[in-house]
Amino acid sequence: GTVGLAYFGTPIGWRMTPGLAWKMYCGEFYAPIAEAEPHAGHEALARLEKEKFGAEKLCVVTMNVDGFHTRAGNANVAEVHGTVERVRCAEHGKFPMPRTDDPKKVRCPTCNKAVRPDVVLFTEELPEDEWVRATGAAKALGVNDVMLVIGTTGAVYPAAGLPEAAIRRGVKVIEVNFDESPISSSVDVFLKGRAGEIVPKLVDMALS
């Protein structure tokens, strides 16, 4: 709920009450994601990377923090809002999230100090390394390339600006979305429906 989000969704909550923030984060946010699995759309994009383009030519840029693209098998993933699959220490950087719901066990393996999830909290800026990777991949696309825009509202910036810039440069843009977004009228192809149903079909066509 709103109270829980105030504890684990803001930097203040993690600084002031880290134990409570971990408890609420694990119970209300992390546990449901950890128990879920990537769907057929995630798996299809991983197959497209492995069987056709390779990680050098296919980069997945995601605003989701569930880590599903990496779990499905994609190697080149720019997680611009971070991921629940990692935590970070202020002194020693990032490391995998331990599979535990006991906040006392989530400590830095180097200094044993408290850590926090490697996700972007409210009021925080995007991680520079992930954003540089995302913008670099988008800028590398030319008029003979394709950008897939999948399941986004198209309203969360700065990430929403990536397909807008690609459209202006003449990149072919295909949008797969359950509802129309602000860029739907400008893309080359708009496919209405669920990503888990449409993306596998697109990948099958690309691999045929």
Side-chain angles (χ1 to χ4, degrees):
T2 303
V3 175
L5 189 60
Y7 283 108
F8 70 77
T10 67
I12 294 176
W14 288 96
R15 286 197 299 269
M16 301 288 290
T17 56
L20 181 58
W22 266 120
K23 181 178 180 180
M24 303 193 84
Y25 171 83
C26 289
E28 297 185 20
F29 191 73
Y30 177 73
I33 293 175
E35 293 171 0
E37 296 291 338
H39 61 53
H42 298 107
E43 294 168 351
L45 291 177
R47 188 158 55 94
L48 188 63
E49 176 191 299
K50 292 178 181 178
E51 298 182 19
K52 189 172 182 70
F53 291 110
E56 318 81 43
K57 294 184 179 180
L58 192 154
C59 177
V60 175
V61 178
T62 180
M63 292 184 287
N64 294 335
V65 299
D66 50 36
F68 285 172
H69 288 292
T70 300
R71 287 168 59 183
N74 280 104
N76 188 5
V77 182
E79 296 164 315
V80 297
H81 287 166
T83 173
V84 299
E85 295 294 320
R86 292 191 304 265
V87 291
R88 70 174 186 248
C89 171
E91 297 181 16
H92 299 103
K94 308 171 184 178
F95 61 94
M97 169 68 176
R99 293 292 179 180
T100 176
D101 58 1
D102 184 354
K104 294 185 178 67
K105 295 181 180 179
V106 186
R107 315 288 291 186
C108 175
T110 302
C111 65
N112 201 40
K113 291 182 179 178
V115 296
R116 50 158 281 189
D118 187 31
V119 298
V120 176
L121 304 177
F122 290 105
T123 74
E124 291 186 322
E125 295 183 355
L126 302 186
E128 184 177 2
D129 56 343
E130 301 290 342
W131 183 241
V132 167
R133 187 192 303 182
T135 55
K139 290 177 181 177
L141 296 175
V143 294
N144 295 320
D145 298 314
V146 174
M147 174 183 283
L148 287 176
V149 180
I150 304 170
T152 176
T153 62
V156 180
Y157 287 85
L162 297 179
E164 294 175 348
I167 292 169
R168 290 194 296 269
R169 296 201 316 275
V171 177
K172 303 297 185 293
V173 178
I174 300 173
E175 181 183 9
V176 179
N177 228 331
F178 199 70
D179 295 300
E180 291 191 3
S181 74
I183 66 166
S184 298
S185 61
S186 302
V187 301
D188 295 277
V189 179
F190 174 75
L191 300 173
K192 182 179 177 63
R194 298 183 182 278
E197 298 171 358
I198 295 178
V199 174
K201 295 177 182 179
L202 287 176
V203 170
D204 286 341
M205 293 173 61
L207 295 177
S208 63

